[in-house]
Short mmCIF file of all heavy atoms in Angstrom, two decimals:
data_model
loop_
_atom_site.label_atom_id
_atom_site.label_comp_id
_atom_site.label_asym_id
_atom_site.label_seq_id
_atom_site.Cartn_x
_atom_site.Cartn_y
_atom_site.Cartn_z
N PHE A 1126 178.12 102.29 88.72
CA PHE A 1126 177.34 103.23 89.53
C PHE A 1126 178.21 104.40 89.99
O PHE A 1126 177.79 105.56 89.93
CB PHE A 1126 176.73 102.51 90.73
CG PHE A 1126 176.04 103.44 91.68
CD1 PHE A 1126 174.84 104.04 91.34
CD2 PHE A 1126 176.61 103.73 92.91
CE1 PHE A 1126 174.21 104.91 92.21
CE2 PHE A 1126 175.99 104.59 93.78
CZ PHE A 1126 174.78 105.18 93.44
N LEU A 1127 179.41 104.11 90.45
CA LEU A 1127 180.31 105.18 90.91
C LEU A 1127 180.72 106.09 89.75
O LEU A 1127 180.84 107.30 89.93
CB LEU A 1127 181.55 104.59 91.57
CG LEU A 1127 181.33 103.96 92.94
CD1 LEU A 1127 182.62 103.35 93.46
CD2 LEU A 1127 180.79 104.98 93.92
N ASN A 1128 180.91 105.53 88.57
CA ASN A 1128 181.23 106.35 87.41
C ASN A 1128 180.08 107.31 87.09
O ASN A 1128 180.31 108.49 86.83
CB ASN A 1128 181.53 105.47 86.19
CG ASN A 1128 182.85 104.75 86.32
OD1 ASN A 1128 183.70 105.13 87.12
ND2 ASN A 1128 183.02 103.69 85.55
N TYR A 1129 178.86 106.79 87.11
CA TYR A 1129 177.70 107.66 86.87
C TYR A 1129 177.57 108.72 87.96
O TYR A 1129 177.21 109.87 87.69
CB TYR A 1129 176.41 106.83 86.78
CG TYR A 1129 176.21 106.18 85.44
CD1 TYR A 1129 176.06 104.80 85.34
CD2 TYR A 1129 176.14 106.95 84.29
CE1 TYR A 1129 175.87 104.20 84.11
CE2 TYR A 1129 175.95 106.36 83.06
CZ TYR A 1129 175.82 104.99 82.97
OH TYR A 1129 175.62 104.40 81.75
N LEU A 1130 177.85 108.34 89.19
CA LEU A 1130 177.77 109.28 90.31
C LEU A 1130 178.80 110.40 90.15
O LEU A 1130 178.49 111.57 90.39
CB LEU A 1130 177.97 108.53 91.63
CG LEU A 1130 177.72 109.31 92.90
CD1 LEU A 1130 176.25 109.75 92.96
CD2 LEU A 1130 178.07 108.48 94.11
N VAL A 1131 180.00 110.06 89.75
CA VAL A 1131 181.05 111.06 89.55
C VAL A 1131 180.67 112.00 88.40
O VAL A 1131 180.83 113.22 88.50
CB VAL A 1131 182.41 110.38 89.30
CG1 VAL A 1131 183.44 111.38 88.80
CG2 VAL A 1131 182.90 109.71 90.56
N VAL A 1132 180.17 111.45 87.33
CA VAL A 1132 179.77 112.28 86.19
C VAL A 1132 178.63 113.21 86.59
O VAL A 1132 178.63 114.40 86.25
CB VAL A 1132 179.37 111.40 84.99
CG1 VAL A 1132 178.69 112.22 83.91
CG2 VAL A 1132 180.60 110.69 84.44
N ALA A 1133 177.67 112.70 87.35
CA ALA A 1133 176.55 113.53 87.80
C ALA A 1133 177.03 114.64 88.73
O ALA A 1133 176.56 115.79 88.65
CB ALA A 1133 175.50 112.67 88.48
N ALA A 1134 177.98 114.33 89.62
CA ALA A 1134 178.51 115.34 90.54
C ALA A 1134 179.27 116.42 89.78
O ALA A 1134 179.13 117.62 90.07
CB ALA A 1134 179.41 114.68 91.58
N LEU A 1135 180.08 116.04 88.81
CA LEU A 1135 180.80 117.03 88.01
C LEU A 1135 179.84 117.89 87.19
O LEU A 1135 180.03 119.10 87.06
CB LEU A 1135 181.80 116.33 87.09
CG LEU A 1135 183.01 115.71 87.78
CD1 LEU A 1135 183.86 114.94 86.77
CD2 LEU A 1135 183.83 116.77 88.48
N PHE A 1136 178.81 117.26 86.66
CA PHE A 1136 177.80 118.00 85.91
C PHE A 1136 177.12 119.03 86.80
O PHE A 1136 176.91 120.18 86.40
CB PHE A 1136 176.78 117.01 85.35
CG PHE A 1136 175.83 117.60 84.35
CD1 PHE A 1136 176.28 118.01 83.11
CD2 PHE A 1136 174.49 117.74 84.66
CE1 PHE A 1136 175.40 118.55 82.18
CE2 PHE A 1136 173.60 118.28 83.74
CZ PHE A 1136 174.06 118.70 82.50
N ALA A 1137 176.80 118.64 88.05
CA ALA A 1137 176.16 119.57 88.99
C ALA A 1137 177.11 120.71 89.36
O ALA A 1137 176.69 121.87 89.46
CB ALA A 1137 175.73 118.81 90.25
N LEU A 1138 178.39 120.41 89.53
CA LEU A 1138 179.36 121.46 89.87
C LEU A 1138 179.54 122.45 88.72
O LEU A 1138 179.77 123.63 88.95
CB LEU A 1138 180.71 120.84 90.24
CG LEU A 1138 180.79 120.20 91.61
CD1 LEU A 1138 182.14 119.52 91.80
CD2 LEU A 1138 180.55 121.22 92.71
#
Side-chain angles (χ1 to χ4, degrees):
F1126 173 72
L1127 288 177
N1128 288 342
Y1129 280 122
L1130 188 63
V1131 168
V1132 169
L1135 289 175
F1136 191 68
L1138 285 175

